[in-house]
Amino acid sequence: MAVGNVLGYAAGSFSGLHKLLPFTQTTACDVYCANLKTCFIIDIVFLLSITITAITTVKETPITRKEAGDEEDNEGRSSGRAFFAELVMAFKTLKKPMWFLLLVTCLNWMAWFPFLLYDTDWMGAEVYGGKVKGSASQQKLYDEGVRAGALGLMINSIVLAFASLGLEPVSRLIGGVKNMWGVVNLILAACLAATVWVTKVAEAWRGEHGPQILTPPPTSIKTSALALFGLLGIPLAVTFSIPFALASIYCSEEGGGQGLSLGVLNLSIVIPQMIISVISGPIDAAFGGGNLPAFVLGSILAAISALLAIFALPNPKTQLSLNSTGMAGAH
């Protein structure tokens, strides 16, 4: 996943990608539009190739009509009813460790989602000082900031890849998986709070040079912003793996279906995303616009999730191992 992210964000940060497919640039589609169109075409080719390869090479034994009928007769209800019945049963039978895991995961993703939604917009509008709807120079400055944000996301993915390799030894050093999750959530909280500092420094620099300044910020400001992207790769590596590993471990220790428990865990991810999608815009508008109010809210939620992970989340009897079934279930 990290390698795919690196390649995708590298494509987004490269302004000459459209030269691979020159026909994508037209009178109605400028360089930025052509780059996006080229990315989409490359994606389509990759997806078609991989899907056709999977369909033609992977063999499976399809379930027969008789087997499907026997299963339905045994259950005595339709597959749709069975799904909802099993989902309700999964919530009813969840043990205390899983409820704490759902709570920490929920807060963790509520902290992450504002940045995941608006990171490149933050670079374009608040760090670079460009505008989506402004003069041609302001729009160009915004586009440069967005490409710098794509570069930051590529750096983030590289750090994520290396951090993923160090999860097991680091978790042993700091006393277990839950402590590591708490520590990296504190890193997340600090990085989201630091976006305020980077933004204010960029605004102060523009203030010194006058509001008419339409050039990218100095290297020191850009480096600070990109450093935040890189640091955030560490907690992101944990977010993408440890909650799923813990869900598998808790289910193994307490009893219960791993598949349903992982499905319930996914609900604690997508529901917070929907909540943040609805409230982040009004929150930003209430505090004068910009992305910082949502980032500050994320920082607070990340700190709360860190404390809950360290002090409330039960320590699993089986600690994380990259060779364990728990980690296999996570991926």
Side-chain angles (χ1 to χ4, degrees):
M1 185 167 62
V3 171
N5 285 344
V6 169
L7 295 175
Y9 294 134
S13 63
F14 177 51
S15 61
L17 189 67
H18 68 284
K19 294 179 182 177
L20 294 174
L21 302 172
F23 64 86
T24 56
Q25 186 175 5
T26 64
T27 305
C29 187
D30 61 8
V31 171
Y32 306 110
C33 166
N35 279 332
L36 185 62
K37 195 188 296 183
T38 303
C39 283
F40 287 166
I41 294 173
I42 293 172
D43 289 343
I44 290 169
V45 172
F46 271 133
L47 284 171
L48 283 175
S49 303
I50 293 168
T51 303
I52 292 171
T53 302
I55 291 172
T56 54
T57 59
V58 177
K59 305 300 180 184
E60 63 177 341
T61 304
I63 187 170
T64 65
R65 196 177 289 271
K66 182 178 182 302
E67 290 171 331
D70 289 344
E71 287 185 6
E72 188 168 317
D73 290 340
N74 290 334
E75 291 177 2
R77 53 183 180 265
S78 68
S79 58
R81 289 180 183 174
F83 168 75
F84 286 108
E86 289 179 1
L87 188 61
V88 172
M89 184 60 66
F91 276 108
K92 285 184 178 179
T93 57
L94 284 180
K95 305 294 183 182
K96 184 179 177 181
M98 273 300 298
W99 281 111
F100 277 116
L101 176 61
L102 294 180
L103 177 60
V104 176
T105 302
C106 176
L107 292 172
N108 190 204
W109 274 99
M110 289 183 75
W112 265 116
F113 206 55
F115 188 79
L116 296 178
L117 270 179
Y118 304 119
D119 44 17
T120 54
D121 180 70
W122 170 67
M123 282 290 285
E126 285 153 287
V127 177
Y128 273 64
K131 291 183 179 180
V132 180
K133 297 179 180 179
S135 65
S137 299
Q138 290 173 325
Q139 291 179 7
K140 183 179 179 182
L141 191 60
Y142 179 84
D143 290 334
E144 288 183 25
V146 168
R147 285 204 304 276
L151 174 62
L153 290 170
M154 185 185 74
I155 296 170
N156 175 277
S157 298
I158 294 171
V159 174
L160 185 155
F162 284 103
S164 298
L165 300 176
L167 294 183
E168 184 181 356
V170 172
S171 69
R172 290 202 191 103
L173 285 174
I174 60 179
V177 179
K178 74 186 193 81
N179 288 344
M180 180 173 64
W181 197 7
V183 169
V184 298
N185 279 348
L186 290 175
I187 295 174
L188 171 60
C191 287
L192 291 176
T195 59
V196 178
W197 173 74
V198 172
T199 300
K200 297 304 179 185
V201 171
E203 288 176 351
W205 177 81
R206 288 193 293 272
E208 289 176 3
H209 293 78
Q212 73 281 358
I213 187 73
L214 291 174
T215 58
T219 303
S220 58
I221 295 176
K222 289 188 285 188
T223 303
S224 299
L226 293 176
L228 291 182
F229 277 91
L231 282 173
L232 285 169
I234 299 172
L236 197 59
V238 172
T239 300
F240 282 164
S241 55
I242 297 302
F244 300 96
L246 281 176
S248 296
I249 293 171
Y250 286 150
C251 286
S252 299
E253 293 177 351
E254 305 289 340
Q258 289 193 11
L260 274 177
S261 296
L262 291 174
V264 171
L265 184 66
N266 274 327
L267 289 178
S268 70
I269 296 173
V270 298
I271 292 176
Q273 288 179 350
M274 289 188 287
I275 293 172
I276 290 297
S277 297
V278 171
I279 69 172
S280 58
I283 289 175
D284 289 339
F287 288 89
N291 299 305
L292 293 186
F295 289 178
V296 171
L297 174 63
S299 177
I300 295 170
L301 293 173
I304 296 172
S305 68
L307 296 175
L308 287 174
I310 295 171
F311 298 110
L313 196 65
N315 211 18
K317 300 170 188 173
T318 306
Q319 285 299 322
L320 176 64
S321 171
L322 295 179
N323 298 319
S324 70
T325 55
M327 182 54 84
H331 294 286

